[in-house]
Amino acid sequence: MTYLWLALAFIAAAAVAGVIFARQGAQPGEAGKHWKAVGLAFAVLAVLTAVFDSVMIGMELFHYDSSHILGLKIGLAPIEDFAYPLAGVVALPGLWMWLTRKRKGSSSGSSNLKGLVPQALLASRPVSWINTAYPFAAAMLLTTREIDWILIVGTFYFLIPYNLAMYGINDVFDYESDLKNPRKGGIEGALLQPHLHRPMLWLAAITNIPFLLVLAFAGGPAVWVSLAVSAFAVVAYSVAGLRFKERPVLDSLTSSTHFVSPAVVGLALAGADVKPGLLILLGAFFLWGMAAHAFGAVQDIEPDRQAGIGSIATVIGARRTVRLAVGLWLVAGLAMLATPWPGPLAAIIAIPYIVNCAPYWTVTDTTAARTNVAWRRFIWLNYGSGFLVTLIFILQWSLTS
C-alpha cells in the first residue's frame, strides 16, 4: 500500500464521521460557520505541518521511499503528510459539536446511563488531553530513544483515562459550584448531571486501575512511587474529605503535580539518570504548572466564594494571584537558562504566558471574571508552546544521535 492510499483512507473515514457528527450536533444556521472554521483550522495546521515536517526531514530524522509517494512537496514535506491534519480538522470539530449538543428528553433517574459516554468524554476536556500525554511520551522517548509497548500504553493512558479521572472526578464533586459558574458546559468542562455522578466515578475507576497495574508491573519501586503520587493527586484534588483544591497553595501544588507526574512516571519507566539539569527542568515545569493553576483560579473567584470554596485566588485575591502567576512563569523561564543546551531555548516560551497574563496586573476581585478571555487564550497558547518544545526536543535528539 502506498502512502497516498493510506492517507486517503484516513480522509475518507474522517469525512464520513465529520459530516455525520456535524449534522447531528449543529444548531440551525451553524453549518456554514462550522465548515468555514474547519477551513481556517486546516490552513493553520497546514502551515505548521509544512514547517514541522520540513525541519524533521531536513535533520534526517526520517525519510520517505520515493516509490511510495507522489513526489509533490511543500517545503520538504510530501503532500501526503497533509492528509492527517485534514482528517483531524474534518472529524474532531464535528465530534465536539455532537458531544456538546443539547439533548432532549434526558432522564434524571439514577439508573439511566444514557449520555454517560459522551458526557464523560466532554468532562475529560479533550482539548487538554495532550497536556498530560505529551510530558510522559516526551520524557520516555527522549530517554529510551525507542518506541515500545510501554510507551504506547502509557501515552494512551495519560491521554484519555487519566484525564477522564482527573476532570471527571472534579466535575462530580464540583457540581454545586459549577451550577453557579457560567464557564461550565463546554470547552472548559461538563456540567455533569447528578444521575451520572456515580457512573462517572465507576467509569473513572475501571478505565484507570488496569492501566496503573500494567504500568506498575512494567517498572520497579520508582515507578510505583511516581504512579502512586500521580493517582493520589488526581483523587485528592477533588474528593470529599481531602479536597486539596480548597486548600490554598496546596491546590496549585496538587494541580501542577497532575501535569508533571506523567513526565516523572515516563522518566522512571525509562530508567533515566537523575542529573541536576533534569531536576531544574522538572522544577521549571512544576512552577509553570503552579502559575497556570493560580491564574486559572482567578476567573472563578466569584462562583467559588458563593459556593464556599477556598482557593489560592479567593484567599490572596485576584490582583496578588495574577502577580504571583507572572512571577512563577518568569522564574520558570529563568530556570531553563540553567539547563544544558538546547534547554535554554525554552526560556523564551515563558514570554507569551507573561504577556497574556500581565494586562490583568491590577485586576480586582469584582472584575476577576474578565480574565476568562486570557484563560481561553492560555488554552491555545499551550499548543503553540508544545510546537516550540517539540522543535527543541528534535534539536536535542539530533545533537545526541
Side-chain angles (χ1 to χ4, degrees):
M1 177 181 287
T2 65
Y3 193 21
L4 174 63
W5 285 111
L6 183 62
L8 289 176
F10 272 92
I11 293 176
V16 172
V19 170
I20 292 174
F21 284 135
R23 284 184 176 180
Q24 292 186 355
Q27 299 297 319
E30 284 188 348
K33 294 180 180 179
H34 168 74
W35 292 112
K36 287 180 181 178
V38 167
L40 178 61
F42 176 67
V44 173
L45 288 177
V47 172
L48 293 175
T49 299
V51 173
F52 188 73
D53 284 16
S54 293
V55 169
M56 291 192 292
I57 294 170
M59 289 184 171
E60 298 183 346
L61 296 181
F62 59 86
H63 68 279
Y64 296 91
D65 188 332
S66 59
S67 64
H68 293 291
I69 60 176
L70 290 175
L72 298 176
K73 297 181 179 180
I74 298 178
L76 298 178
I79 196 69
E80 291 89 344
D81 267 5
F82 297 85
Y84 302 102
L86 177 59
V89 299
V90 169
L92 296 180
L95 175 60
W96 182 259
M97 292 171 68
W98 177 72
L99 289 173
T100 57
R101 75 192 190 281
K102 294 181 179 179
R103 291 175 172 80
K104 298 179 180 180
S106 60
S107 169
S108 59
S110 60
S111 62
N112 182 11
L113 299 183
K114 185 177 180 180
L116 174 61
V117 172
Q119 283 298 293
L121 286 174
L122 180 61
S124 71
R125 320 293 201 272
V127 172
S128 300
W129 284 355
I130 192 67
N131 293 341
T132 49
Y134 187 97
F136 171 85
M140 191 167 182
L141 184 59
L142 286 173
T143 303
T144 64
R145 303 180 72 85
E146 64 180 26
I147 298 175
D148 58 16
W149 71 268
I150 301 176
L151 175 65
I152 295 172
V153 170
T155 301
F156 179 80
Y157 168 66
F158 284 110
L159 183 73
I160 301 177
Y162 181 81
N163 283 288
L164 183 65
M166 179 166 63
Y167 292 118
I169 294 173
N170 182 72
D171 284 350
V172 168
F173 289 94
D174 278 6
Y175 179 71
E176 294 300 327
S177 62
D178 286 349
L179 286 173
K180 302 178 178 68
N181 194 334
R183 295 196 299 118
K184 300 303 180 179
I187 191 176
E188 297 178 74
L191 189 59
L192 206 60
Q193 295 302 312
H195 74 281
L196 294 178
H197 287 183
R198 186 179 294 275
M200 178 69 244
L201 295 178
W202 275 108
L203 184 62
I206 64 177
T207 55
N208 275 258
I209 292 175
F211 283 96
L212 290 171
L213 293 175
V214 169
L215 293 176
F217 178 78
V223 175
W224 305 340
V225 172
S226 57
L227 282 172
V229 170
S230 181
F232 177 75
V234 165
V235 174
Y237 185 77
S238 301
V239 298
L242 293 173
R243 294 291 286 175
F244 284 7
K245 71 167 295 175
E246 295 189 33
R247 303 176 187 273
V249 180
L250 184 58
D251 56 350
S252 291
L253 291 170
T254 307
S255 178
S256 187
T257 301
H258 293 161
F259 301 97
V260 178
S261 62
V264 176
V265 172
L267 291 169
L269 282 167
D273 292 331
V274 180
K275 297 179 180 179
L278 178 59
L279 293 176
I280 293 173
L281 188 152
L282 290 174
F285 187 17
F286 198 86
L287 292 176
W288 175 92
M290 290 186 65
H293 176 271
F295 184 62
V298 173
Q299 62 194 323
D300 290 332
I301 285 180
E302 196 62 31
D304 281 350
R305 282 179 175 164
Q306 290 177 8
I309 295 176
S311 72
I312 190 170
T314 62
V315 171
I316 70 175
R319 185 174 300 173
R320 290 180 178 176
T321 306
V322 167
R323 294 177 180 182
L324 174 63
V326 170
L328 289 172
W329 273 316
L330 177 61
V331 174
L334 293 175
M336 289 304 301
L337 296 175
T339 61
W341 183 261
L345 293 176
I348 197 173
I349 296 175
I351 295 176
Y353 294 100
I354 295 173
V355 170
N356 184 48
C357 185
Y360 300 93
W361 190 260
T362 59
V363 70
T364 65
D365 288 7
T366 56
T367 61
R370 297 178 184 175
T371 60
N372 178 249
V373 175
W375 179 253
R376 285 178 171 262
R377 284 197 296 264
F378 167 85
I379 294 173
W380 300 112
L381 275 176
N382 289 341
Y383 283 85
S385 298
F387 175 73
L388 295 176
V389 168
T390 301
L391 293 179
I392 295 172
F393 283 160
I394 291 173
L395 179 58
Q396 168 69 21
W397 186 286
S398 66
L399 291 174
T400 56
S401 60

